[in-house]
Amino acid sequence: MAPSPTFQPVLERIAEELEQRPGRGRAADYIPALAARDPHRFGMAVAEPDGTVYGVGEWREPFSTQSITKVFTLALQLAREGDELWEHVGREPSGNPFNSLVQLEYENGIPRNPFINAGALVVTDRLHTRTGEAAGALLDFLRAESGNPDLGFDQEVAASETAHGDRNAALAHFMASYGNIDNPVPDLLDQYFRQCSIEASCADLALATGFLARHGIRADGTRLLTRSQAKQINAVMLTCGTYDAAGDFAYRVGLPGKSGVGGGIIAVVPGRCTLCVWSPGLDERGNSVAGVAALDRFTTLTGLSVF
């Protein structure tokens, strides 16, 4: 099927089909502030490179971005540091849960990729060293790219993650023992939990991800990343962006994507569009059940894929 001249009919069809699907998973319960979210809520947005946005359902409803923000901190730090960043974090799928400690010891404190928690902590740490305020730099970037100056941190979610953040603290201390963390661990954790607590809507995130569809060009026309760097981020999203379900996601959806336990998933069709879908019900791997299904249907209905 050829791409539609407007994505709106495709989105509406997807929403109608999902209404008939049983089983939506369950909201993330290890972060108490997220546990009460209704797994049947749903929103989806598509943004074209020129900033045109289409949406369906609760596509303008803010939600907790969580690990989706790892894409943007990676972009901001890669733009500053270049290839040296890859000496501190790998680019390989982990095959383990996103908060696993297992690989760090026998790989000398170098996380497998920037999208598991250990890798994201390294990237946030390095961005914090260069900006003095990693979470603030991220928020400024998201506000600029989405065109929404009202984006902000959810203090309740940040506090909830801090109170239940022992595993992330363990990861950070362990990597610090190998010299792969520069800042005091409490400072890093504060930045990281604030980063993950940012609230944004599907429309906001679809727009904010547009620089990856424009091969590194920001919304204002300036270049953030080289074309090669944008390709690198898209590649790591495809292979590592959906935790230890990345292979299945690539098989079903065929797009670079990044999920978060708030129920959101962003995805990129380079040169064509960016997407964000949100539904809080998660599968056992931490990915939105309805979100993956919606993206699967989108690529099937439009024929848009990187393959």
Side-chain angles (χ1 to χ4, degrees):
M1 176 179 172
S4 171
T6 168
F7 289 111
Q8 195 62 39
V10 174
L11 295 180
E12 291 172 2
R13 178 173 172 180
I14 291 168
E16 289 171 7
E17 291 180 2
L18 285 176
E19 280 292 317
Q20 312 306 316
R21 284 178 63 103
R24 288 292 187 95
R26 53 187 297 180
D29 54 10
Y30 71 94
I31 302 173
L34 300 180
R37 302 293 194 267
D38 180 358
H40 290 87
R41 300 182 73 179
F42 174 79
M44 187 172 184
V46 179
E48 294 179 323
D50 66 358
T52 304
V53 191
Y54 307 93
V56 71
E58 296 178 83
W59 64 296
R60 293 195 179 279
E61 177 70 20
F63 63 89
S64 188
T65 54
Q66 295 295 314
S67 288
I68 291 174
T69 59
K70 296 172 182 177
V71 171
F72 304 105
T73 53
L74 175 60
L76 290 172
Q77 184 55 23
L78 188 60
R80 285 167 169 79
E81 189 173 4
D83 285 348
E84 185 183 336
L85 174 61
W86 302 119
E87 298 174 13
H88 300 271
V89 61
R91 301 186 295 270
E92 294 293 335
S94 70
N96 285 312
F98 59 87
N99 59 356
S100 174
L101 283 152
V102 172
Q103 288 167 332
L104 281 175
E105 182 161 18
Y106 61 80
E107 294 181 353
N108 300 315
I110 305 295
R112 274 288 176 97
N113 67 70
F115 296 147
I116 56 175
N117 287 16
L121 284 162
V122 168
V123 175
T124 298
D125 175 66
R126 299 184 74 75
L127 183 64
H128 189 56
T129 296
R130 283 158 179 78
T131 62
E133 175 66 25
L138 169 65
L139 184 60
D140 289 344
F141 178 80
L142 291 175
R143 284 173 171 172
E145 296 306 293
S146 67
N148 183 358
D150 295 328
L151 295 185
F153 304 108
D154 184 325
Q155 303 299 340
E156 179 191 0
V157 169
S160 184
E161 294 199 58
T162 299
H164 297 82
D166 291 339
R167 178 65 67 94
N168 285 313
L171 291 167
H173 281 295
F174 198 84
M175 292 185 294
S177 75
Y178 281 96
N180 202 21
I181 295 293
D182 295 332
N183 293 283
V185 168
D187 295 348
L188 168 58
L189 293 175
D190 176 64
Q191 292 293 315
Y192 182 69
F193 294 141
R194 288 173 65 217
Q195 166 189 320
C196 291
S197 78
I198 290 174
E199 282 201 319
S201 69
C202 291
D204 295 326
L205 290 169
L207 286 167
T209 310
F211 71 98
L212 290 174
R214 295 187 293 267
H215 309 293
I217 302 294
R218 294 187 59 167
D220 64 2
T222 61
R223 181 169 286 282
L224 174 68
L225 302 171
T226 67
R227 192 178 183 97
S228 178
Q229 288 172 330
K231 180 193 74 174
Q232 291 168 4
I233 291 180
N234 280 327
V236 179
M237 287 172 68
L238 181 70
T239 57
C240 307
T242 45
Y243 310 123
D244 50 337
D248 187 60
F249 185 83
Y251 177 87
R252 289 184 61 186
V253 176
L255 294 175
K258 182 71 196 85
S259 60
V261 296
I265 307 174
I266 56 173
V268 183
V269 186
R272 187 67 177 87
C273 65
T274 46
L275 304 97
C276 182
V277 61
W278 170 64
S279 185
L282 309 179
D283 62 21
E284 67 278 1
R285 288 337 194 352
N287 299 310
S288 170
V289 173
V292 173
L295 292 170
D296 182 359
R297 289 300 290 151
F298 178 86
T299 54
T300 299
L301 292 170
T302 63
L304 294 173
S305 167
V306 297
F307 300 110

